Amino acid sequence: TTSTKHTGSAASRRTHRFLIAGQVALTLLLIASAGAALKAFSARLHTPLGFDPNRVLSLNVGFPKGANPTWEGRLNAQEAVRKAIAEVPGVDDASISTTWFPAFGGFTGKVEVQSKPLLTDAQAMLCAVSSHEISTLHIPLLAGRFFDDGETMRAAHLAVVNETFVKQYLPDRDP
């Protein structure tokens, strides 16, 4: 007796092999992409932030609308909250900011640089912070000086800028 086994045509076997090869190629592509994504994510985790995020707690405190209609009233209320938090046992320092960290939020505003009067439509990310923000986050001072509480209370026009700002707007000057 002879046995005949039907295994399909040569064309269907080629199609089957092609599909398997395609699945293997797609799997290898996905594995390589996942590896690249993990490598990029790991690099992001180890990128210096410019501040020390260890042992930092961000707390959002809202004041009732209209409770402090003047800027002095708002500053005094915020400073009272900051001082109360700073006095809690175990707290090293506390600060006030309009965002949890200036580099990750804030508002965009027009920038005027006195030494560059022809600079038009220049904008930067701005964030209002208390004078304690720099020490709370252990941000190193590269040049110049930090501002103090007295300057904050009299609404002095000053700014702490980062290296990117200096490179873009003041490349030829000491900020």
Side-chain angles (χ1 to χ4, degrees), residues 96-111:
I96 302 290
S97 172
T98 56
T99 183
W100 82 271
F101 179 69
F104 301 108
F107 53 94
T108 304
K110 185 167 175 34
V111 175

PDB file of all heavy atoms in Angstrom, residues 96-111:
ATOM      1  N   ILE A  96       8.906  78.800  48.537  1.00  0.00           N
ATOM      2  CA  ILE A  96       7.637  79.034  47.839  1.00  0.00           C
ATOM      3  C   ILE A  96       7.953  79.225  46.361  1.00  0.00           C
ATOM      4  O   ILE A  96       8.916  79.890  45.990  1.00  0.00           O
ATOM      5  CB  ILE A  96       6.939  80.310  48.370  1.00  0.00           C
ATOM      6  CG1 ILE A  96       6.673  80.219  49.861  1.00  0.00           C
ATOM      7  CG2 ILE A  96       5.678  80.593  47.590  1.00  0.00           C
ATOM      8  CD1 ILE A  96       5.614  79.234  50.261  1.00  0.00           C
ATOM      9  N   SER A  97       7.125  78.633  45.504  1.00  0.00           N
ATOM     10  CA  SER A  97       7.306  78.747  44.066  1.00  0.00           C
ATOM     11  C   SER A  97       5.949  78.661  43.388  1.00  0.00           C
ATOM     12  O   SER A  97       5.032  78.036  43.910  1.00  0.00           O
ATOM     13  CB  SER A  97       8.213  77.605  43.583  1.00  0.00           C
ATOM     14  OG  SER A  97       8.278  77.575  42.184  1.00  0.00           O
ATOM     15  N   THR A  98       5.842  79.260  42.211  1.00  0.00           N
ATOM     16  CA  THR A  98       4.586  79.172  41.461  1.00  0.00           C
ATOM     17  C   THR A  98       4.457  77.851  40.718  1.00  0.00           C
ATOM     18  O   THR A  98       3.448  77.598  40.093  1.00  0.00           O
ATOM     19  CB  THR A  98       4.455  80.338  40.456  1.00  0.00           C
ATOM     20  OG1 THR A  98       5.593  80.336  39.591  1.00  0.00           O
ATOM     21  CG2 THR A  98       4.336  81.671  41.162  1.00  0.00           C
ATOM     22  N   THR A  99       5.484  77.025  40.768  1.00  0.00           N
ATOM     23  CA  THR A  99       5.453  75.688  40.192  1.00  0.00           C
ATOM     24  C   THR A  99       6.319  74.788  41.043  1.00  0.00           C
ATOM     25  O   THR A  99       7.104  75.271  41.850  1.00  0.00           O
ATOM     26  CB  THR A  99       5.946  75.694  38.723  1.00  0.00           C
ATOM     27  OG1 THR A  99       5.822  74.387  38.183  1.00  0.00           O
ATOM     28  CG2 THR A  99       7.369  76.146  38.611  1.00  0.00           C
ATOM     29  N   TRP A 100       6.198  73.475  40.911  1.00  0.00           N
ATOM     30  CA  TRP A 100       6.945  72.592  41.809  1.00  0.00           C
ATOM     31  C   TRP A 100       8.440  72.720  41.609  1.00  0.00           C
ATOM     32  O   TRP A 100       9.205  72.549  42.516  1.00  0.00           O
ATOM     33  CB  TRP A 100       6.475  71.152  41.684  1.00  0.00           C
ATOM     34  CG  TRP A 100       7.051  70.380  40.553  1.00  0.00           C
ATOM     35  CD1 TRP A 100       6.551  70.294  39.292  1.00  0.00           C
ATOM     36  CD2 TRP A 100       8.242  69.600  40.566  1.00  0.00           C
ATOM     37  NE1 TRP A 100       7.360  69.507  38.524  1.00  0.00           N
ATOM     38  CE2 TRP A 100       8.410  69.053  39.287  1.00  0.00           C
ATOM     39  CE3 TRP A 100       9.194  69.292  41.540  1.00  0.00           C
ATOM     40  CZ2 TRP A 100       9.469  68.247  38.940  1.00  0.00           C
ATOM     41  CZ3 TRP A 100      10.257  68.480  41.195  1.00  0.00           C
ATOM     42  CH2 TRP A 100      10.386  67.973  39.912  1.00  0.00           C
ATOM     43  N   PHE A 101       8.872  73.016  40.405  1.00  0.00           N
ATOM     44  CA  PHE A 101      10.274  73.339  40.154  1.00  0.00           C
ATOM     45  C   PHE A 101      10.327  74.211  38.914  1.00  0.00           C
ATOM     46  O   PHE A 101       9.722  73.880  37.903  1.00  0.00           O
ATOM     47  CB  PHE A 101      11.124  72.079  39.957  1.00  0.00           C
ATOM     48  CG  PHE A 101      12.558  72.413  39.684  1.00  0.00           C
ATOM     49  CD1 PHE A 101      13.341  72.954  40.691  1.00  0.00           C
ATOM     50  CD2 PHE A 101      13.105  72.250  38.439  1.00  0.00           C
ATOM     51  CE1 PHE A 101      14.666  73.309  40.438  1.00  0.00           C
ATOM     52  CE2 PHE A 101      14.422  72.596  38.185  1.00  0.00           C
ATOM     53  CZ  PHE A 101      15.197  73.121  39.195  1.00  0.00           C
ATOM     54  N   PRO A 102      11.034  75.325  38.985  1.00  0.00           N
ATOM     55  CA  PRO A 102      11.019  76.294  37.884  1.00  0.00           C
ATOM     56  C   PRO A 102      11.302  75.751  36.497  1.00  0.00           C
ATOM     57  O   PRO A 102      10.712  76.204  35.537  1.00  0.00           O
ATOM     58  CB  PRO A 102      12.096  77.303  38.308  1.00  0.00           C
ATOM     59  CG  PRO A 102      12.094  77.229  39.784  1.00  0.00           C
ATOM     60  CD  PRO A 102      11.812  75.784  40.118  1.00  0.00           C
ATOM     61  N   ALA A 103      12.172  74.785  36.371  1.00  0.00           N
ATOM     62  CA  ALA A 103      12.482  74.287  35.027  1.00  0.00           C
ATOM     63  C   ALA A 103      11.341  73.478  34.423  1.00  0.00           C
ATOM     64  O   ALA A 103      11.320  73.215  33.231  1.00  0.00           O
ATOM     65  CB  ALA A 103      13.735  73.429  35.071  1.00  0.00           C
ATOM     66  N   PHE A 104      10.377  73.056  35.228  1.00  0.00           N
ATOM     67  CA  PHE A 104       9.314  72.188  34.757  1.00  0.00           C
ATOM     68  C   PHE A 104       7.960  72.872  34.826  1.00  0.00           C
ATOM     69  O   PHE A 104       6.979  72.279  35.220  1.00  0.00           O
ATOM     70  CB  PHE A 104       9.301  70.884  35.559  1.00  0.00           C
ATOM     71  CG  PHE A 104      10.588  70.146  35.475  1.00  0.00           C
ATOM     72  CD1 PHE A 104      11.433  70.080  36.554  1.00  0.00           C
ATOM     73  CD2 PHE A 104      10.966  69.528  34.289  1.00  0.00           C
ATOM     74  CE1 PHE A 104      12.635  69.397  36.466  1.00  0.00           C
ATOM     75  CE2 PHE A 104      12.169  68.849  34.208  1.00  0.00           C
ATOM     76  CZ  PHE A 104      13.004  68.785  35.293  1.00  0.00           C
ATOM     77  N   GLY A 105       7.881  74.085  34.452  1.00  0.00           N
ATOM     78  CA  GLY A 105       6.601  74.774  34.465  1.00  0.00           C
ATOM     79  C   GLY A 105       6.804  76.252  34.688  1.00  0.00           C
ATOM     80  O   GLY A 105       7.906  76.753  34.739  1.00  0.00           O
ATOM     81  N   GLY A 106       5.719  76.930  34.860  1.00  0.00           N
ATOM     82  CA  GLY A 106       5.766  78.373  35.031  1.00  0.00           C
ATOM     83  C   GLY A 106       4.936  79.019  33.953  1.00  0.00           C
ATOM     84  O   GLY A 106       3.971  78.453  33.455  1.00  0.00           O
ATOM     85  N   PHE A 107       5.324  80.209  33.581  1.00  0.00           N
ATOM     86  CA  PHE A 107       4.600  80.921  32.535  1.00  0.00           C
ATOM     87  C   PHE A 107       5.611  81.564  31.604  1.00  0.00           C
ATOM     88  O   PHE A 107       6.741  81.839  31.981  1.00  0.00           O
ATOM     89  CB  PHE A 107       3.648  81.967  33.133  1.00  0.00           C
ATOM     90  CG  PHE A 107       4.310  82.925  34.082  1.00  0.00           C
ATOM     91  CD1 PHE A 107       4.785  84.157  33.647  1.00  0.00           C
ATOM     92  CD2 PHE A 107       4.462  82.605  35.423  1.00  0.00           C
ATOM     93  CE1 PHE A 107       5.396  85.030  34.513  1.00  0.00           C
ATOM     94  CE2 PHE A 107       5.062  83.484  36.307  1.00  0.00           C
ATOM     95  CZ  PHE A 107       5.542  84.692  35.854  1.00  0.00           C
ATOM     96  N   THR A 108       5.208  81.756  30.369  1.00  0.00           N
ATOM     97  CA  THR A 108       6.080  82.370  29.383  1.00  0.00           C
ATOM     98  C   THR A 108       5.887  83.876  29.420  1.00  0.00           C
ATOM     99  O   THR A 108       4.763  84.357  29.460  1.00  0.00           O
ATOM    100  CB  THR A 108       5.767  81.826  27.977  1.00  0.00           C
ATOM    101  OG1 THR A 108       5.894  80.407  28.013  1.00  0.00           O
ATOM    102  CG2 THR A 108       6.713  82.384  26.941  1.00  0.00           C
ATOM    103  N   GLY A 109       6.990  84.587  29.431  1.00  0.00           N
ATOM    104  CA  GLY A 109       6.912  86.042  29.479  1.00  0.00           C
ATOM    105  C   GLY A 109       7.956  86.682  28.591  1.00  0.00           C
ATOM    106  O   GLY A 109       8.948  86.057  28.210  1.00  0.00           O
ATOM    107  N   LYS A 110       7.718  87.935  28.262  1.00  0.00           N
ATOM    108  CA  LYS A 110       8.634  88.699  27.425  1.00  0.00           C
ATOM    109  C   LYS A 110       9.893  89.015  28.213  1.00  0.00           C
ATOM    110  O   LYS A 110       9.841  89.318  29.391  1.00  0.00           O
ATOM    111  CB  LYS A 110       7.969  89.988  26.958  1.00  0.00           C
ATOM    112  CG  LYS A 110       8.808  90.795  25.992  1.00  0.00           C
ATOM    113  CD  LYS A 110       7.980  91.870  25.335  1.00  0.00           C
ATOM    114  CE  LYS A 110       8.769  92.791  24.453  1.00  0.00           C
ATOM    115  NZ  LYS A 110       9.869  92.270  23.726  1.00  0.00           N
ATOM    116  N   VAL A 111      11.018  88.930  27.539  1.00  0.00           N
ATOM    117  CA  VAL A 111      12.307  89.196  28.165  1.00  0.00           C
ATOM    118  C   VAL A 111      12.893  90.458  27.554  1.00  0.00           C
ATOM    119  O   VAL A 111      12.911  90.616  26.331  1.00  0.00           O
ATOM    120  CB  VAL A 111      13.279  88.016  27.928  1.00  0.00           C
ATOM    121  CG1 VAL A 111      14.653  88.342  28.459  1.00  0.00           C
ATOM    122  CG2 VAL A 111      12.732  86.757  28.558  1.00  0.00           C
TER     123      VAL A 111
END
